[in-house]
């Protein structure tokens, strides 16, 4: 899927390019290990090299892109070690954030909408985006902005892991069932049960996609 030239005027050409490259990475159009050549990306998105360069720097900061003095910029390669590193952070933080969301009696409407969007998704890209929003809707109202920001910082890397895993072993139906169970427990006010279910959901995904012995 090729992107049309950047519309004019736009709020920020760098932001436009940033979102376009991120979308291409998280939908597999730019696969792990792919070289990201500034001139090629500039031509692809109808911009100069400057916003491309700035976008790549930002994506390197979020962990989607690797910058090398010799190879330039490439899409980050996903392996078992990287997957476990990212998911370890989620396992430590995300269940506790959900527990706090529930004990605060925060609204779960956004999570319900994300679940519906995932069910209605037309393709893997839409489903992946909806799944990301589901998880974010569970932890965002936790009442601790720093905790939410820490989880936001690993969102893109987690999405890259799931994109690679799904391409090898589609498991979204199982994950959708687990999401429904988590949301059901959360809506029932079972903070401990929902947190345990979320922990098991995250752990089972990474172990299934990247077994321990592959580390």
């Amino acid at each position: 899927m090729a992107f049309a030239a950047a519309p004019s005027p736009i709020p920020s050409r760098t932001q436009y390019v940033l979102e376009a490259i991120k979308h291409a990475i998280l939908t597999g159009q730019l696969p792990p290990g792919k070289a990201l050549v500034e001139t090629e990306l500039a031509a692809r998105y109808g911009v100069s090299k400057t916003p491309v360069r700035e976008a790549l720097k930002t994506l390197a900061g979020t962990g989607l892109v690797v910058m090398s003095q010799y190879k330039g910029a490439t899409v980050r390669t996903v392996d078992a070690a990287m997957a476990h590193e990212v998911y370890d952070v989620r396992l430590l933080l995300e269940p506790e954030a959900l527990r706090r969301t529930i004990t605060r009696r925060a609204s779960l409407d956004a999570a319900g909408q994300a679940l519906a969007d995932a069910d209605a998704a037309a393709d893997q890209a839409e489903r992946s985006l909806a799944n990301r929003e589901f998880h974010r809707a569970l932890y965002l109202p936790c009442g601790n902005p720093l905790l939410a920001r820490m989880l936001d910082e690993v969102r893109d890397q987690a999405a890259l892991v799931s994109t690679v895993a799904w391409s090898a072993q589609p498991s979204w139906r199982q994950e959708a069932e687990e999401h429904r169970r988590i949301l059901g427990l959360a809506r029932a006010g079972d903070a401990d049960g929902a947190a345990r279910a979320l922990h098991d959901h995250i752990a089972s995904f990474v172990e299934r996609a990247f077994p321990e012995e592959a580390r």
Side-chain angles (χ1 to χ4, degrees), residues 24-104:
I25 291 173
L26 296 181
T27 55
Q29 297 171 48
L30 294 173
K34 171 73 173 178
L36 301 171
V37 182
E38 290 180 9
T39 52
E40 293 177 359
L41 292 171
R44 178 174 181 168
Y45 300 123
V47 297
S48 69
K49 289 197 296 183
T50 299
V52 171
R53 187 176 304 118
E54 293 304 313
L56 292 177
K57 288 179 182 177
T58 300
L59 290 169
T62 67
L64 286 183
V65 169
V66 176
M67 307 288 282
S68 167
Q69 181 179 353
Y70 304 103
K71 294 183 179 180
T74 57
V75 179
R76 184 172 184 178
T77 300
V78 175
D79 58 18
M82 179 268 195
H84 281 279
E85 179 182 295
V86 171
Y87 274 66
D88 278 350
V89 173
R90 294 187 65 194
L91 285 169
L92 287 168
L93 300 180
E94 205 166 319
E96 177 59 26
L98 173 57
R99 190 193 313 275
R100 295 184 180 199
T101 293
I102 296 168
T103 57
R104 296 180 70 240

Side-chain angles (χ1 to χ4, degrees), residues 16 24 33 37 56 112 126 161 176 180 184 188-189 191 201 212-213 215:
Y16 165 79
V37 182
L56 292 177
E126 285 186 13
V161 170
R180 279 188 275 274
H201 166 69
E212 285 285 330
E213 59 267 26
R215 285 207 212 191

Side-chain angles (χ1 to χ4, degrees), residues 141-195:
C142 69
N144 185 326
L146 178 57
L147 176 56
R149 284 199 301 273
M150 291 172 71
L151 284 164
D152 272 349
E153 287 178 3
V154 298
R155 268 181 98 219
D156 288 343
Q157 294 177 64
L160 181 58
V161 170
S162 63
T163 296
V164 172
W166 279 7
S167 66
Q169 182 184 6
S171 58
W172 58 268
R173 287 188 178 87
Q174 178 178 338
E175 291 164 48
E177 288 299 323
E178 292 170 358
H179 284 175
R180 279 188 275 274
R181 179 167 183 270
I182 293 164
L183 185 57
L185 290 167
R187 282 175 165 164
D190 186 351
D192 290 338

